[in-house]
């Protein structure tokens, strides 16, 4: 045993010598350990005598440059270095064992926290990108590169090799922002982009029309880009003038998104997107507001596209950048700020907040920042010319949306958590309080004639989706009462009507968010019908009494919309088939039950048993399809 551990004991002796002689380390040891070490040091004292006196085992008087003994003997007075003294000194075995166990424990912690095995790495080596100053600059490669991105250590990720389009995974964002953004280097000016790399439409007027379609739709919801600034750069691009690289990236990604949502020409959208990837590294070269806007633009594009990076990862990256920049914090009193920069920062942060809450609640995932950590104010309602017009300009719409998202976020936290379940009375009071807030929000929402759809229909849609989030079965309210059942049914009908109206006008957006909302509203209608049937079979009156044939129309609309989705998006056929089976099972029970909708549906005969899998999906795994959607869309 002693022979096998000689080498390791020697290493630990050297480390022990450094530990004993380093005052900074010694000061950090607790008083109890200090007393123990002092007792051991008295019994195992390390000699500081010169080499001549030490070998003769005589007391040295430490005279300089030669002690008295060396002077009398006529020899050179030499002293061993501290490392040599410790190396030749005896060390208690139990102390070595303690140090060995502690090193093993620390290596285990490092391996568990970072995934890095340091047991075979020489002491003092750069670990986990410590010597790599440009980790942040590998992010564009992983977002936009077709090839396998290299890790800071030179290794490649075999899991993403050969995958088309965007790399599926991003680097350890937490480490990037901890090590790099907290010690940010000064921002450098982005170079002007070379004109030959710009992809243009046939004319400036056509490009202007496409850009206006973007700002008149997504610009109302996520106003992190300024229309005036964008149009100025657009004109410069079509005049063959050079613009900064971040402006060129913004032009390409906005055009890619606008073409994607405005027409069925997927090839043109892909061309603009591929062009944006050429300037993405320069758009992200600084950890600043333009970089945040670039990430938000990518997130919007990938929400509408069947290819692209995971919107979940992009939003996580963007939120960490935003918090590192302090956009979530209020400015200090008396702090001088530029009006435009301050307001554009607020617009970017609250656009990110809006996307984060929407994505998290739809997929049943945690939000990326707590509301308690946000102290910054909402953006002020400035028009495109920076004239303040509360309730009367385009910014009034996104500000009103964010006000709802803050209520929406509190509803999500209140009902979809693992905290102890309160009493039914407390739950009922929570629902009444939130309903009062939501009604006040809708009643106070501004009406803009210039954006009549977004200030009426869009507000109604947001209002009913918030009600559905509150009323539907949740961990805190798994068995909703009669009022909740009625609220679920009415809200679901209104949500389906909203999507059907958009579909009839050719304005529906065939994206995964739309799919989730339509499917969720559809199964909620079936759930409410099943509650009616159970009440009637138990001799109680019906709970939900929709007007006319709204239930039939609603179910038929969901079936049609899911079938249309299946023609445009891969993987939706399974959801469409599942909903058809669910609706058939529930409606067949409605046919054999007492009057629920109309007398035409009545039939004689026994009530059929409902499929147990349908019961599971409708009542106990209400949002099971979130994993299905996330799988198909790599979210």
């Amino acid at each position: 045993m002693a022979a096998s551990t000689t080498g390791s004991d020697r290493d630990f002796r050297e480390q022990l010598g450094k530990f004993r002689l380093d005052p900074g380390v010694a000061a950090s040891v607790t008083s109890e350990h200090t007393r123990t070490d002092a007792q051991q040091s008295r019994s195992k004292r390390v000699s500081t005598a010169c080499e001549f006196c030490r070998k003769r085992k005589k007391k040295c008087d430490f005279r300089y440059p030669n002690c008295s003994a060396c002077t009398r003997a006529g020899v050179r007075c030499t002293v061993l270095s501290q490392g040599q003294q410790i190396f030749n000194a005896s060390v208690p075995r139990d102390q070595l064992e303690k140090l060995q166990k502690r090193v093993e424990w620390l290596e285990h912690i490092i391996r568990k926290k970072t995934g890095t095995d340091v047991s075979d790495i020489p002491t003092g080596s750069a670990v986990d990108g410590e010597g790599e100053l440009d980790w942040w600059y590998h992010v564009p490669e992983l977002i936009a590169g077709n090839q396998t991105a290299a890790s800071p250590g030179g290794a490649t990720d075999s899991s993403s090799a050969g995958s088309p389009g965007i790399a599926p995974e991003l680097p350890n964002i937490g480490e990037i922002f901890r090590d790099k953004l907290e010690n940010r280097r000064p921002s450098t000016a982005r170079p002007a982009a070379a004109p030959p790399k710009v992809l243009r439409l046939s004319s400036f007027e056509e490009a202007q029309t496409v850009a206006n379609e973007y700002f008149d739709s997504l610009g109302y919801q996520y106003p992190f880009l300024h229309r005036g600034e964008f149009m100025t750069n657009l004109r410069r691009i079509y005049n063959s003038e050079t613009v900064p690289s971040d402006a060129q990236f913004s032009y390409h990604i906005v055009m890619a998104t606008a073409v994607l949502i405005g027409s069925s020409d997927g090839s043109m959208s892909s061309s603009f997107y591929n062009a944006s990837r050429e300037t993405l590294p320069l758009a992200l070269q600084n950890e600043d507001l333009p970089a945040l806007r670039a990430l938000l633009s990518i997130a919007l594009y990938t929400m509408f596209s069947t290819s692209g990076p995971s919107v979940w990862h992009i939003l996580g990256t963007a939120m960490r950048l935003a918090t590192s920049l302090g956009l979530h914090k209020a400015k200090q009193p008396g702090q001088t700020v530029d009006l435009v920069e301050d307001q554009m920062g607020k617009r970017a942060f609250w656009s990110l907040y809006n996307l984060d809450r929407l994505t998290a609640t739809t997929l049943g995932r945690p939000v990326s920042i707590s509301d308690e950590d946000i102290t910054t104010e909402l953006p002020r309602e400035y028009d495109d010319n920076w004239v303040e017009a509360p309730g009367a300009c385009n910014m009034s719409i996104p500000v009103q949306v964010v006000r709802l998202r803050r209520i929406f976020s509190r509803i999500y936290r209140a009902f979809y958590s693992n905290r102890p379940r309160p009493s039914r009375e407390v739950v009922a009071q929570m629902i009444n309080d939130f309903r009062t807030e939501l009604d006040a929000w809708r009643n106070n929402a501004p009406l803009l004639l210039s954006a009549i759809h977004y200030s009426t229909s869009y507000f109604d849609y947001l209002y009913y989706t918030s009600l559905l989030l509150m009323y539907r079965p949740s961990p805190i309210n798994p068995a909703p009462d009669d009022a909740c059942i009625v609220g679920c049914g009415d809200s679901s009908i209104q949500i389906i009507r909203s999507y059907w109206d958009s579909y009839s006008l050719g304005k529906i957006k065939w994206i995964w968010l739309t799919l989730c909302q339509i499917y969720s509203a559809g199964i909620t209608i079936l759930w409410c019908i099943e509650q009616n049937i159970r009440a009637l079979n138990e001799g109680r009156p019906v709970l939900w009494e929709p007007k006319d044939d709204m239930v039939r129309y609603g179910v038929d609309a969901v079936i049609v919309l899911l079938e249309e989705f299946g023609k445009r998006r891969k993987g939706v056929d399974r959801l469409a088939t599942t909903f058809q089976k669910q609706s058939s099972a529930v409606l067949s029970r409605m046919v054999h039950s007492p009057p629920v909708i109309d007398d035409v549906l009545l039939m004689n005969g026994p009530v059929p048993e409902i499929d147990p899998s349908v019961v599971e999906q409708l009542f106990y795994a209400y949002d099971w399809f979130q994993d299905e959607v996330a799988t198909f869309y790599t979210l």
Side-chain angles (χ1 to χ4, degrees), residues 190-195 198 229-230 232-252 279 282:
R190 293 173 173 84
V198 178
E229 179 185 2
F230 183 88
T232 298
N233 288 321
L234 182 68
R235 183 175 293 277
R236 293 177 61 191
I237 289 173
Y238 278 78
N239 287 337
S240 298
E241 301 177 26
T242 57
V243 296
S245 54
D246 60 312
Q248 181 174 319
F249 169 81
S250 180
Y251 158 72
H252 280 130
T279 47
L282 291 175

Side-chain angles (χ1 to χ4, degrees), residues 12 21 37 49 81 196 308 346 350 400 405 426 437 546 580 608:
F12 277 104
L21 298 172
D37 290 345
S81 65
K346 286 183 169 63
W350 288 111
Q400 187 70 8
R405 286 293 180 219
V426 173
E437 284 192 70
Q580 289 179 342

Side-chain angles (χ1 to χ4, degrees), residues 82 200 245 342 367 402 503:
Q82 292 178 345
R200 295 180 177 87
S245 54
D342 177 63
V367 297
V402 171
Y503 170 69

Side-chain angles (χ1 to χ4, degrees), residues 289-522:
L289 186 57
L292 177 60
R293 289 199 292 257
L295 291 173
L296 287 171
S297 297
I298 297 173
L300 285 186
Y301 175 82
T302 196
M303 285 176 61
F304 290 89
S305 176
T306 54
S307 62
S310 163
V311 66
W312 179 253
H313 288 95
I314 292 294
L315 292 178
T317 305
M319 184 60 77
R320 285 163 175 80
L321 174 56
T323 54
S324 177
L325 296 174
L327 298 181
H328 64 304
K329 295 294 185 182
K331 298 294 186 294
Q332 296 297 326
Q335 182 178 355
T336 303
V337 294
D338 178 76
L339 173 63
V340 175
E341 182 180 359
D342 177 63
Q343 290 301 307
M344 292 307 298
K346 286 183 169 63
R347 293 184 184 186
F349 175 78
W350 288 111
S351 297
L352 175 58
Y353 177 91
N354 188 0
L355 282 168
D356 174 73
R357 266 37 184 185
L358 179 60
T359 304
T361 54
T362 304
L363 296 178
R365 296 177 178 177
V367 297
S368 62
I369 185 173
S370 173
D371 286 274
E372 287 77 8
D373 293 330
I374 302 173
T375 59
T376 187
E377 298 175 348
L378 297 182
R380 294 167 67 178
E381 298 174 36
Y382 287 104
D383 63 14
D384 292 340
N385 298 317
W386 296 105
V387 176
E388 193 166 13
C393 65
N394 292 344
M395 270 303 297
S396 301
I397 294 176
V399 168
Q400 187 70 8
V401 171
V402 171
R403 291 192 180 106
L404 177 67
R405 286 293 180 219
R406 302 218 71 176
I407 304 174
F408 189 87
S409 180
R410 290 192 289 112
I411 292 174
Y412 187 60
R413 181 182 63 179
F415 290 97
Y416 297 84
S417 65
N418 293 324
R419 62 188 180 91
R421 191 179 303 165
S423 64
R424 296 186 64 86
E425 292 76 14
V426 173
V427 172
Q429 186 60 50
M430 291 166 55
I431 292 175
N432 288 333
D433 292 342
F434 279 125
R435 179 61 187 262
T436 301
E437 284 192 70
L438 291 172
D439 290 345
W441 174 87
R442 187 63 190 93
N443 293 331
N444 295 327
L447 174 62
L448 272 69
L449 296 179
S450 60
I452 188 68
H453 170 75
Y454 282 93
S455 60
T456 55
S457 300
Y458 184 55
F459 283 165
D460 286 338
Y461 162 77
L462 294 176
Y463 171 75
Y464 286 113
T465 54
S466 301
L467 287 179
L468 184 56
L469 181 74
M470 178 180 67
Y471 283 132
R472 73 187 190 187
S474 61
I476 299 301
N477 188 26
D481 58 15
D482 295 357
C484 290
I485 295 172
V486 174
C488 279
D490 292 342
S491 300
S492 299
I493 290 292
Q494 294 300 325
I495 291 172
I496 296 301
R497 287 187 61 179
S498 176
Y499 280 116
W500 186 259
D501 291 343
S502 297
Y503 170 69
S504 301
L505 298 174
K507 294 183 177 180
I508 192 171
K509 297 179 175 64
W510 303 100
I511 62 177
W512 61 271
L513 282 169
T514 302
L515 173 62
C516 289
Q517 294 291 352
I518 290 175
Y519 189 87
S520 176

Side-chain angles (χ1 to χ4, degrees), residues 526-547:
L526 300 181
W527 178 76
C528 293
I529 296 174
E530 181 66 20
Q531 299 304 308
N532 274 354
I533 295 174
R534 289 189 174 190
L536 289 171
N537 289 342
E538 294 172 2
R540 297 183 288 115
V542 294
L543 307 175
W544 176 46
E545 299 181 85
K547 298 179 181 179

